[in-house]
Amino acid sequence: MTAGAAIAGPDGSLRCPWALSAAEYVTYHDQEWGHPVHGDDALYERLSLEAFQSGLSWITILRRRPAFRAAFAGFRISRVAQFTDADRERLLADAGIIRNRAKIDATLANARVLAEWSPGELDALIWSHAPDPVDRPVPKTLSDVPAVTPESTALSKALKRRGLRFVGPTTAYALMQACGLVDDHLADCVARRP
C-alpha cells in the first residue's frame, strides 16, 4: 500500500486516510468535506471555523461545532455583527469553544464587515476563486494535496483587501477544500465526485 493513499474503512469503502482517525471524521468526510457550500452565512461559518482551527486539529473544532454555533448565534452575520462587548466577554469565558481572543475578535470584526456587504457578495467573492477542475490533477496520495495554491493566495488577498481578518492563504485553502471549491478527495476515495 502506498503511504497516504486511500484506505478501507470499517465498511470496506476506500477513504482519505485522515477520515478514519476519529469516528466523527467519517461522517464529516463523506457528507460535508468537499461538497459545495453556498450562502453568505454558511460560508461565514466555515471561514470562522477554519480560522479557529488554525494551529489546532480539525477534530477539536468539529467536536465543538455545536457549541460554536450556539455561542455565535448560528453564525448569522446580521446577528453576530450586533454582538456587544458583553457578548465578547461571554465568548471569552465560554469553555465550549476555543477561547482565543484574537480569533474571537476576528470573527466579530468579520461579521461587522460582512454585514455591510450586499447579500450574496461573500458567496460570489469566494466562488470566483474556484479553480477550473480540468486544470487540477486528481490527488492519489495525501502528499499530492497542497496546503496553499495560487487561488487560495488570491482569495486570501481579496478577503483581506475587503477588511476581513484571520484569512491567510492556508486558511483560505482549507475553506476551499471544505466548501467544495476544490475536490481533494483522493482518486480512490468513495467520496470523490465523478
Side-chain angles (χ1 to χ4, degrees), residues 129-141:
H129 289 83
D132 185 341
V134 173
D135 297 333
R136 290 182 51 82
V138 175
K140 292 179 177 50
T141 69

Side-chain angles (χ1 to χ4, degrees), residues 148-180:
V148 175
T149 63
E151 294 87 359
S152 74
T153 300
L155 175 57
S156 170
K157 288 179 181 177
L159 292 169
K160 287 178 181 179
R161 258 193 317 273
R162 299 290 306 273
L164 299 184
R165 295 166 35 190
F166 244 99
V167 289
T170 303
T171 297
Y173 192 68
L175 174 76
M176 294 171 80
Q177 291 174 304
C179 295

Side-chain angles (χ1 to χ4, degrees), residues 57-80:
S57 166
W58 178 247
I59 195 68
T60 301
I61 304 304
L62 192 57
R63 288 177 176 158
R64 294 177 183 219
R65 187 164 56 171
F68 273 108
R69 286 176 171 165
F72 286 96
F75 288 97
R76 288 186 302 280
I77 295 167
S78 61
R79 294 269 317 274
V80 179

Side-chain angles (χ1 to χ4, degrees), residues 103-120:
K103 293 175 182 181
I104 289 171
D105 288 347
T107 302
L108 300 179
N110 289 348
R112 291 181 190 111
V113 168
L114 292 171
E116 300 298 317
W117 292 19
S118 300

Side-chain angles (χ1 to χ4, degrees), residues 10 18-19 21 25 43 53 57 67 69 79 90 106-107 110 122 135 193:
W18 64 264
S21 63
Y25 272 155
L43 289 166
Q53 185 272 329
S57 166
R69 286 176 171 165
R79 294 269 317 274
R90 172 185 55 80
T107 302
N110 289 348
L122 177 61
D135 297 333
R193 295 188 307 262

